[in-house]
Amino acid sequence: MIDVDTARERILAAFAPLGMEHVALDAALGAILAVDVVAGGNVPPFPNAAMDGFAVRAEDTAGATPEHPARLLVVAEAAAGYPCVTEVTAGAAIRIMTGAPIPTGADAVVRFEETDERADAVRRGPGETVAIVREARAGEHLRPAGEDIQAGQIVLLAGARVRPAVIGVLATLNHTQIAVHRRPRVGVLATGDELVDPGKPLGAGQIRNSNAPMIVAMVRRCGGEPVSLGIARDSEDDLRHALSRAEGCDLLLTTGGVSIGDYDLVKRVLQAEGRIDLWNVRIKPGKPLAFGWLGPTPVLGLPGNPVAAAVAFEQFARPAIRKMLGERSLEIPTVMARFTGCIENRGARRNYLRVVVDTGSDGFVARCAGGQGSGILSTLAMSNGLLVIHEDIAVVNEGDLLPVQMLDWGLG
C-alpha cells in the first residue's frame, strides 16, 4: 500500500489543463479562465454621482453649518443615463441622482440629507435656492472615472474560477463570451450484478445503484461534464463492452471491482486491456483503489462501498478534474476544528471521519455525523466535512485540534 499523498501526487501527474474554448457568459459559471482578462476601458467610464443630492463646487460650501448655510441656485437636474449639458458655475448647484454623470464644473455631491430640503420636505428644483448645511469636500460622494477598473488593467488572471461576481465583471467589460479551459468529459461506470437503477424493481439480493448518481453529481459539482455509462455486470465481456463506451472521455471513473474478490474484474480487465499504475492506498474508508490507463484514457477505479467511493473521489478525482479545468489551487478548503468525542484510528491508515462542523466560542467544533461504516451513506449526507486523522495518530481525544476538509466550500 502507498500513502494518500503519494497516490495523489502520482495520479495528478497524469493530468494537465485541457485546451481552450470560448463559451457564452451564461454558460461559464464554474469554468476556469484560460487567459488574462484586460480592461479595454475605464469602469466607470465617466465621473458620476455616488449619492442622490446636489452637484456643487466644494468651494461654494466653505464654512456651511445649519446656522449659517451656503445658499446656492439650482440651475438644472441630472439623471442617470443622460448627459448634463449645464455647467456648475459659482453659486450654482444641479440636482443629481445616483449614477448620473457629474456636470462640468462640479467637484462634489451634497446629499439631500445635508440640505434644507430634508428639513422642509420640499423638493428644490431648477430656479429655486437650496441651503447647504454642511461644508462639502472636493471629491465627496463622487465616483471618478476608472474608480473600479482602469483601461489596460489586468482585471482577472488566467486560472481564476468563474464565479457570479466574475461574470458581473466580464459583463461590465462588455464580454459576451470568454475563453476558458474545456470542461473534462468524465465517464462514470458502476459495476456489479447486484446493482439496480432507481425506479426499477429489486430482485432477491439486489441493491440500488447509488454510486453512479452520486458520482455523476460530484463530477458536475466540481466542474466536469459527466458521461453516464450505466452498469457493467460481473463478466469480463460485459465490462469490456461498457469500457468501450468511454472513448473520448478525459477520465473514466468506475465504482467497485477493484478489490480481491472473485468478481472484482475492473483491475483484471485493466491489466489485460491497458495498464495499472497503482492500487491499494492507505486510506479509510476504502483501501482498494486502482489507477491506470485504458488506451489514452486515464481510469480511476473507486471502491464499491458508497462512502469509500465518495471519499476516494474527493481525495483523487476531484483534484484531477480541477487540474484539467486549469484551476491553480487543488486543495480542498480546510479548517482546524476541535473534536467532540473520542475515537480510535486503527490500521495505520489516513482516516476521513464524517463530521458536522459548527462554530463554537473559540473556533470550529466537529462532531461525528453518525455511524462511520463505509456503507453508511446517510451520515455522509448529514455531514459537511471530513475530519482528517493522519496515519501516525492512534487515538483522537476530546478537544483535540484536527484539520477538517469542508466539502461544500470552494466549488462554484
Side-chain angles (χ1 to χ4, degrees):
M1 288 193 294
I2 63 174
D3 63 78
V4 171
D5 295 329
T6 301
R8 185 185 294 116
E9 182 180 346
R10 287 172 58 179
I11 290 170
L12 290 182
F15 296 92
L18 298 178
M20 184 176 70
E21 65 179 1
H22 286 82
V23 299
L25 285 192
D26 61 3
L29 185 64
I32 305 297
L33 295 179
V35 296
D36 294 344
V37 175
V38 179
N42 289 329
V43 179
F46 49 80
N48 66 91
M51 291 283 184
D52 297 333
F54 293 91
V56 301
R57 301 192 322 159
E59 63 186 281
D60 289 342
T61 68
T65 66
E67 294 76 23
H68 300 286
R71 298 189 179 276
L72 304 175
L73 178 65
V74 181
V75 295
E77 296 184 349
Y82 301 94
C84 182
V85 297
T86 304
E87 183 177 353
V88 176
T89 56
I94 290 180
R95 187 182 184 87
I96 193 166
M97 299 297 107
T98 301
I102 296 295
T104 302
D107 62 0
V109 172
V110 176
R111 299 182 301 154
F112 289 144
E113 294 88 339
E114 295 163 344
T115 71
D116 61 349
E117 177 172 307
R118 179 179 182 185
D120 297 346
V122 177
R123 185 179 185 276
R124 303 292 193 261
E128 298 180 289
T129 298
V130 63
I132 310 298
V133 300
R134 187 181 71 80
E135 182 176 328
R137 299 186 303 274
E140 192 169 25
H141 305 313
L142 183 155
R143 303 184 186 115
E147 177 189 52
D148 185 2
I149 298 168
Q150 296 185 358
Q153 176 185 342
I154 298 176
V155 184
L156 299 164
L157 294 174
R161 184 181 310 143
V162 179
R163 299 177 290 109
V166 170
I167 289 177
V169 168
L170 292 169
T172 297
L173 296 173
N174 197 33
H175 288 275
T176 59
Q177 292 188 326
I178 191 65
V180 299
H181 290 284
R182 179 174 64 80
R183 295 181 187 271
R185 299 182 75 248
V186 181
V188 179
L189 176 67
T191 68
D193 283 346
E194 74 278 16
L195 299 181
V196 177
D197 285 327
K200 297 180 180 179
L202 284 177
Q206 293 184 318
I207 60 173
R208 292 294 176 201
N209 175 20
S210 61
N211 277 350
M214 176 179 66
I215 298 300
V216 162
M218 295 174 82
V219 168
R220 183 174 288 117
R221 184 179 71 160
C222 64
E225 179 186 328
V227 180
S228 297
L229 300 176
I231 301 171
R233 299 306 171 188
D234 288 329
S235 78
E236 291 191 19
D237 286 344
D238 195 61
L239 179 57
R240 286 191 177 92
H241 179 71
L243 291 173
S244 69
R245 299 197 294 270
E247 185 176 355
C249 288
D250 302 293
L251 170 63
L252 171 61
L253 300 176
T254 65
T255 64
V258 291
S259 190
I260 56 174
D262 292 344
Y263 297 98
D264 289 322
L265 304 177
V266 172
K267 192 168 56 179
R268 189 184 310 170
V269 170
L270 272 183
Q271 286 172 325
E273 303 290 328
R275 78 172 196 261
I276 292 181
D277 288 354
L278 64 89
W279 66 287
N280 273 359
V281 178
R282 200 173 293 119
I283 186 174
K284 182 179 180 181
K287 177 176 61 174
L289 181 100
F291 178 72
W293 297 82
L294 192 65
T297 306
V299 181
L300 183 60
L302 305 175
N305 282 319
V307 178
V311 169
F313 178 96
E314 296 288 1
Q315 307 312 312
F316 306 111
R318 170 172 166 164
I321 293 171
R322 300 308 293 178
K323 187 173 182 181
M324 284 189 283
L325 278 166
E327 180 129 41
R328 292 187 299 253
S329 175
L330 304 180
E331 297 295 326
I332 297 175
T334 300
V335 301
M336 299 301 293
R338 297 202 177 276
F339 184 65
T340 300
C342 181
I343 191 167
E344 293 185 7
N345 184 31
R346 299 174 181 173
R349 288 187 284 167
R350 189 168 304 178
N351 193 350
Y352 293 87
L353 203 70
R354 284 148 273 167
V355 294
V356 176
V357 179
D358 295 307
T359 304
S361 58
D362 61 346
F364 292 106
V365 178
R367 57 179 172 83
C368 280
Q372 296 294 314
S374 60
I376 305 177
L377 187 57
S378 59
T379 54
L380 182 62
M382 290 185 287
S383 68
N384 61 352
L386 295 175
L387 185 84
V388 184
I389 308 174
H390 282 259
E391 299 88 328
D392 56 352
I393 298 176
V395 178
V396 177
N397 295 306
E398 177 81 26
D400 283 354
L401 191 65
L402 291 171
V404 180
Q405 296 178 343
M406 304 301 293
L407 301 179
D408 296 330
W409 292 9
L411 295 174

